[in-house]
Amino acid sequence: AAPSSTHPAPSSAASSASAAAYASRSSSSGSPSSSSSQSAGEARLRAPALPSSAGNSPPPARPAEAAAAAAGSALLGCPVLVAASAAWLSSCWLRLCPVELALGAASSTARAVCAAAAAAAAAAAAPEEAAADAAAADSASAAPDGDAASGEEAAADGDPAAPAEGGDGLNIKAGLTDEQLVVRCDVLKDSVTWVTFDYINRGLFVRDKLTVATQLCFKVMVDAGTLDAELVRMLSVGEVTVDTGHMGALAEWLPPHIWPRVKALEKVKPVFEKLGDDMQTDSEEWKAWFDDEACEVRPPPGDYKESVTGVRLLLLLRAMRPDRLTSALSKFVGDNLGQQYVLQKPFDMAACFEQSAPATPTFFVLFPGVDPTTWVEALGRKLGMTEESGKFINISMGQGQEQNAIDGLDRLGAEGGWMFLQNVHLMQEWLPKLERQLEIISTSAHPDFRCFISAEPPPLSYWRNMPESLMQSCIKVANEAPADLKSNLIRAWATFSEDVIAESNKPEVFKACLFTLCFYHAIVLGRRRFGQQGWSKKYSFNTGDLTVCANVLMQYINDNETTPWQDLRYIFGEIMYGGHITDWWDRRTNNTYLEVYLRPEILAQMELGPDLKVPDMSTTSYDDAMAFFENSLPEESPPMFGLHPNAEIGYLTSSAESLFATILSLSGTGVADDGGGEGGGSGGVGGMVASLLETMPDNFVLIDIEATAEPLLAEQSAPYVLVAIQECERMNKLLTKMRTSLVELQKGLNGELNMTEAMEHLTEALSINQVPGRNPFHKTSWEALAWPSAKNLTSWNLDLQRRVEQLSVWTTDLVTPRSMWLPGLFNPMAFLTAIMQVTARQTGLALDNMSVETHMTAMFDPNDAEEYPENGMFCHGLFIEGARWATGEEGGDPETVGTTVTQGCLADSFIKELLPQLPVMYLRAVEVEPTWDPQSVGYIRGVADTYECPVYTTTFRGPTYVFLATMKTRQDKTRWVRAGVAIIMQSDD
């Protein structure tokens, strides 16, 4: 990959000069970031010193080693690697900064600079320096790393396969053959790659570690010529094809949305050229592979067993089993770069401190269950930096602490000591002053001065609650606590002790309730990993909520003869944990957990989850409970959270999609910058622009539509007519914006117009098959005028054409379709309001005392709707997540609602059916009953056999909520609440 045009790769001569200058500056100042000769602008962009080895400072370099050591230093002088080491945290903190620059261009440039500097060092080495190197190699042979010393000797004898690294440094010897020099340079490149990645990796969120490792692996392999950039582009984009043909025997088991992805793979010749036909021929074998829980380790059927490996296996999984893709990627990266790139080593505070400097603060990202204060204090005690000695100041930032922080920084900066500023995200207006103060102190800081900073990440990935330049000057540490159920339970139970339990006058009751409370705490924390199906928003539940609830629990048990279960559930669900929750449906889920868990049956060893009962507290001590959590806890699974196993599949699938979406957004065209190919480079974009313009529908002629509508506006069906006109108006705005922006871009690509920033943003979105505007920082946005959607551009465009087709049929004579494709409307709620308005006119009921209820018909084909239903309309095209709709004998006897036959009930999903389609839905306007509970989301019926189901536009849930649907259930509806069952208007495919 070519280096960024903003920071071109330096020439070999320039690299050597930069290396020498940087080495000189580093040796004189002790740290590259502490040089007082840097300007203020350079200081803001300086990078902390990268370690030359894992946590150990390098020994003084001998003359022959100086140039080789300077090669690594030159990387820091290179603006590209400055971006790599200074702006890397943005991939997890801002998520939209150039990690492509940090790990793409930087990797290529760093390797080029390294190779050039190493070659220059080899050419310039003098005979006497070579003799000194030989002596050093002899001394290194006595070190524990005997193999490395032997490698030095072998390299000196002319063995090109011998390791080029010996002792603590890399000795570039005079008179090396070309083969030996290549080996030396390869080792140096591998070392720089690992050191840079290890430095970056320490500050990445867990969710981003595999993303960065994957992108680095792709870049290195493409750069080395061992991986086809076009295959990586296809893998990143996840291509689909429109012309799919018939599925044949595969239709019996293969989900329909997978078939277009399979057919798209046939472009990879010759391996997948006949994939579709071969799958139909060997349908049973492919079904067995598809159904395998770990299909990534099972060879594909037939001849594909030998040919589908490496990246081709990733392509196959991307198309058919994206839920297994993250596991396969970990193996792929480990096999090609090394296991150290995917196996996370424990955080080492001492090693992190060795890499810091007086002018390089250490920044800790705060997570629930993680307190960096203990790490800093423990290391400080070893090094004599304590509060008692006056060498350590710890300030939790808040109103009124600004001056104390400035005074402490000034004193310790001059005298030496450690300053810890916690929770600085609460002081956003003061942060520029802190940044300036640190910049001033860095020019003359005491060698023993260190500054530590901590802050919480912003709620949304693209929010910026910290100055970017401050982040760039820091060593970043993001050491997240394990988020699995077992770790959360152990951490929650460890918050208390046997002494706390002994304070209760009913220790057995308190212990059982505390056990249940800790389990509930672990569940609400662990549910977050299931994405939007877990919680619609991210909530900061923490240990403080648990301890306060435990105190309340103790008081209520001690002060009451019988445990007030309802009071406790209300306090925990509405005040303590509920105080974090802003979404009504999430609040219902939280309260349902408490309703299920916190009840008298826990005193009689009630089952909290599969194979997990509350222990008999009369014979279970505090230590026994801890041992149970550590050794006997059942394996974590979605049913433990009340979720269907499909939730795990959905979570893994969305993780893979998010990984590649991030790679695409950071790399522009996938991986390669060489352009060309479908969807890559300006040529591909030009073809896509022409295709979009060619297939784009014409605008609706509103004058003609309004003329047709004029006589109909006096009839009772007038609300439906108004909805049609409003939909056409919104569609026209979208089509006009699309057409205008595409025509401008086409002219720009042809050289007829100057390329603007908006055109560049549109080019970037089209190149990665993304709907323009999905990136919130782009200036060209189609999404702002469209409907909420998670589809890629190809699927979104097909969706657009289908919407236009429905509107075209509807506006021909403005007769409402017998069954409306509800997801095809910009504003579905307007159609529901029209249903209530029309019904109110027909029945004479008050509109403000009406609501909508839903019933599922026995029809799956909307063409079977031959007449309009009573007091409502039919709609179709809806999906359900977390459950399915049972029909036939399983669904029970049919029932008649008004004049419409309805049938079915909620049932558990089939495995791998994440979004089964619902039958035609009957939307019926009804009068509000006095017993219904009005809430912000609608009227809650409170009937045992009716599940109030939220309806969302997309699987993102949250802000895409539309209305409340009523669904019949034969099982306890708390089952569906915990399972996160919801109706989704459109899939992500």
Side-chain angles (χ1 to χ4, degrees), residues 67 119-126 129 174:
E129 295 169 356

Side-chain angles (χ1 to χ4, degrees), residues 731-747:
M731 183 60 74
N732 277 357
K733 291 180 181 178
L734 174 59
L735 293 174
T736 300
K737 175 65 175 180
M738 292 173 61
R739 187 175 291 106
T740 301
S741 58
L742 287 173
V743 169
E744 288 180 352
L745 178 58
Q746 193 173 53
K747 291 180 178 179

Side-chain angles (χ1 to χ4, degrees), residues 502-523:
E503 294 177 7
S504 175
N505 55 21
K506 303 185 186 79
E508 294 181 8
V509 175
F510 177 73
K511 203 186 307 180
C513 292
L514 185 62
F515 183 98
T516 304
L517 180 62
C518 289
F519 179 76
Y520 158 77
H521 176 78
I523 287 292

Side-chain angles (χ1 to χ4, degrees), residues 555-606:
Q555 181 178 350
Y556 272 61
I557 290 177
N558 289 347
D559 295 347
N560 293 276
E561 292 184 6
T562 59
T563 305
W565 303 104
Q566 182 60 37
D567 293 350
L568 290 172
R569 286 194 292 263
Y570 180 84
I571 293 173
F572 298 167
E574 297 290 342
I575 300 174
M576 302 304 180
Y577 286 86
H580 296 280
I581 301 174
T582 57
D583 183 88
W584 191 92
W585 299 105
D586 287 342
R587 185 180 295 272
R588 181 182 70 165
T589 301
N590 181 60
N591 288 332
T592 300
Y593 273 126
L594 289 168
E595 180 184 342
V596 171
Y597 295 152
L598 208 56
R599 54 201 308 174
E601 287 79 1
I602 62 174
L603 305 178
Q605 303 179 51
M606 183 187 80

